[in-house]
Amino acid sequence: MSYQDSESYSAGTLQEPIRFAYWVPNVSGGLVVSKIEQRTSWDIDYNRKLAQLAEQNGFDYALSQIRFTAGYGADNQHEPLVFSQALLAATDRLKVIVALLPGPWKPALAAKQLASLDQLYGGRVAVNIVSGWFKGEFRAIGEPWLEHDERYRRSEEFIRALKGIWTQDDFTFRGDFYRFQNYTLRPKPLQQPHPEIFQGGSSRAARDMASRVSDWYFTNGNTPEGHQAQIDDIREKAAANGHTVKIGVNAFIIARDTEEEARRVLQEIIDKADPEAVNAFGHEVKNAGKASPEGEGNWAKSTFEDLVQYNDGFKTNLIGTPEQIAERIVHLKSIGVDLILSAFLHFQEEVVYFGERVLPLVRKLEEERLAATV
Ligand SMILES: Cc1cc2nc3c(=O)[nH]c(=O)nc-3n(C[C@H](O)[C@H](O)[C@H](O)COP(=O)(O)O)c2cc1C
């Protein structure tokens, strides 16, 4: 079944406005591995202001990154949970999605930290469970490195444990990776039934996990056809499991007054790419989807140019004028996308431009499409 053709699905999503998230630059070097000027900073003052601008300009979520060592440049990396707390303190409505890596994090500690953050900041916490691709990083911090599908098996147990701790008293769990005996967390998170759980990854194992336990599935950048195939696959499997999962799509957005200008910026980013850092990243990501049994998944087919934005964000092609970008976003919505995860060259300036120039067009198109269906 294609969800493009599914009336009940389209009608449901058409009534819900598409949501927007942005990548928190809590690591240095911006979101492209390029020597082009980036008026983006990883420091906390810049990020507090960015979070405030984002919530004033219609963004719903801020997603942090977890890195223990440099991976794609990113020579400095702030810890995401601590950093997220500072963003929560600086904002009123924005939700923060804290990235956590099973292995270094254990579910008992993660559940407790996130429950407290949720209580302290009015129910605005979410979590992104990252399954890992960076063997060198695990080795550097003395963490055992599991094979591809084993990492997802562990992540799934991590998510089941989080949900159990957050929603039950006397929680008991017997997994291969985690065990709990009559554990009661107090206080529980403010949000009911529990804070939203996001995950990324494109491999078979990642998609299967999403179709069983995650609230949200993040894709890397892709073409609309590529996204459609992933979405249909996940939603079909989720329906068979009696589960629902929302979809977030990654995109590096270059919105400019003319298409030529936007394309020129993209070309300059690629021309000024840092080949050493991009190639080192390309070498490391062989432990991701390519190492899965089916040999597909994140970065398995990415070119040098794609990897300059390290989550394939150029591929989604939200590059052009506000009108072109709004049209493409609404098209993504029509194939089942619930959220756009965005990155920008100059974050503060561009979230404002996006909020003022692109978002009103998206909302207008959404209203027109909705009116056309009734
Ligand atoms: C939106 C998004 C955010 C991610 N954030 C992180 C992160 O902060 N740290 C990290 O090590 N990996 C991160 N990942 C990587 C994934 O958890 C996963 O390891 C990777 O996508 C490989 O997936 P695959 O092997 O299933 O294809 C992210 C992926 C996506 C799509």
Side-chain angles (χ1 to χ4, degrees):
M1 173 171 69
S2 161
Y3 280 85
Q4 199 166 22
D5 306 321
S6 158
E7 235 168 56
S8 60
Y9 179 75
S10 330
T13 49
L14 280 176
Q15 279 151 15
E16 273 286 304
I18 194 160
R19 308 277 171 202
F20 293 92
Y22 74 92
W23 284 90
V24 175
N26 60 313
V27 307
S28 61
L31 269 289
V32 285
V33 191
S34 173
K35 293 182 173 142
I36 190 172
E37 184 199 9
Q38 297 190 60
R39 294 189 290 279
T40 290
S41 166
W42 56 285
D43 75 36
I44 190 58
D45 289 340
Y46 182 93
N47 268 285
R48 275 197 203 99
K49 176 86 183 154
L50 172 59
Q52 289 161 352
L53 289 171
E55 80 174 358
Q56 287 156 16
N57 281 280
F59 285 77
D60 307 284
Y61 297 93
L63 170 73
S64 58
Q65 306 180 44
I66 173 64
R67 283 267 65 78
F68 284 92
T69 68
Y72 23 75
D75 293 333
N76 296 278
Q77 321 93 29
H78 274 305
E79 194 283 320
L81 194 137
V82 169
F83 209 74
S84 295
Q85 177 161 18
L87 302 186
L88 285 166
T91 51
D92 298 316
R93 293 184 308 281
L94 194 70
K95 273 192 156 186
V96 298
I97 311 169
V98 180
L100 296 182
L101 193 56
W105 268 275
K106 302 286 179 284
L109 179 60
K112 195 153 184 67
Q113 288 178 313
L114 293 166
S116 287
L117 269 189
D118 205 47
Q119 286 282 345
L120 291 175
Y121 294 98
R124 293 192 287 132
V125 164
V127 62
N128 184 29
I129 302 301
V130 167
S131 292
W133 49 269
F134 193 177
K135 191 173 179 178
E137 181 178 68
F138 272 60
R139 194 177 293 133
I141 62 169
E143 272 291 328
W145 177 250
L146 304 181
E147 287 311 309
H148 184 274
D149 283 14
E150 282 296 281
R151 297 200 295 276
Y152 281 97
R153 227 159 59 76
R154 175 170 65 184
S155 293
E156 184 164 336
E157 281 193 11
F158 194 101
I159 292 173
R160 289 184 189 280
L162 273 186
K163 286 189 189 175
I165 298 168
W166 280 340
T167 58
Q168 296 172 31
D169 286 346
D170 297 318
F171 175 63
T172 296
F173 183 80
R174 296 198 172 281
D176 291 338
F177 299 91
Y178 306 112
R179 293 193 170 209
F180 288 82
Q181 190 72 42
N182 296 326
Y183 177 52
T184 300
L185 172 75
R186 295 258 162 81
K188 298 262 193 292
L190 199 58
Q191 291 176 91
Q192 293 298 319
H194 57 74
E196 292 174 296
I197 298 174
F198 290 71
Q199 67 152 105
S202 299
S203 55
R204 176 78 275 143
R207 283 181 273 155
D208 286 354
M209 181 170 94
S211 72
R212 285 193 290 262
V213 290
S214 303
D215 301 314
W216 284 88
Y217 171 78
F218 274 136
T219 69
N220 260 16
N222 209 333
T223 58
E225 299 71 39
H227 280 134
Q228 171 110 56
Q230 270 174 296
I231 293 168
D232 288 352
D233 177 70
I234 287 176
R235 287 229 160 95
E236 230 171 275
K237 286 211 151 177
N241 295 332
H243 181 69
T244 43
V245 56
K246 293 189 207 153
I247 308 288
V249 159
N250 180 53
F252 191 86
I253 299 182
I254 309 177
R256 297 293 185 274
D257 292 350
T258 65
E259 186 177 5
E260 294 66 43
E261 201 187 337
R263 294 273 151 212
R264 218 177 315 120
V265 173
L266 174 64
Q267 198 52 53
E268 191 185 342
I269 293 172
I270 290 169
D271 290 345
K272 293 187 176 163
D274 178 344
E276 213 177 297
V278 175
N279 287 327
F281 174 59
H283 178 72
E284 280 296 342
V285 297
K286 69 182 185 313
N287 290 305
K290 224 183 246 179
S292 64
E294 79 283 5
E296 289 185 1
N298 272 13
W299 304 297
K301 298 188 185 99
S302 305
T303 63
F304 178 90
E305 282 79 9
D306 294 331
L307 293 176
V308 176
Q309 200 297 301
Y310 44 80
N311 278 90
D312 281 339
F314 302 144
K315 277 192 192 166
T316 309
N317 194 26
L318 299 188
I319 297 169
T321 63
E323 290 74 17
Q324 290 172 317
I325 292 173
E327 282 284 349
R328 288 174 200 151
I329 288 173
V330 174
H331 176 67
L332 285 170
K333 181 174 172 176
S334 77
I335 64 167
V337 173
D338 301 288
L339 174 146
I340 304 291
L341 170 62
S342 58
F344 303 92
L345 194 59
H346 312 302
F347 268 80
Q348 286 185 357
E349 295 149 54
E350 296 191 45
V351 296
V352 174
Y353 185 92
F354 187 86
E356 288 176 354
R357 299 288 307 280
V358 183
L359 200 55
L361 299 177
V362 172
R363 298 301 180 222
K364 188 162 161 273
L365 288 173
E366 284 181 317
E367 273 172 31
E368 285 169 12
R369 305 270 157 112
L370 186 58
T373 62
V374 286

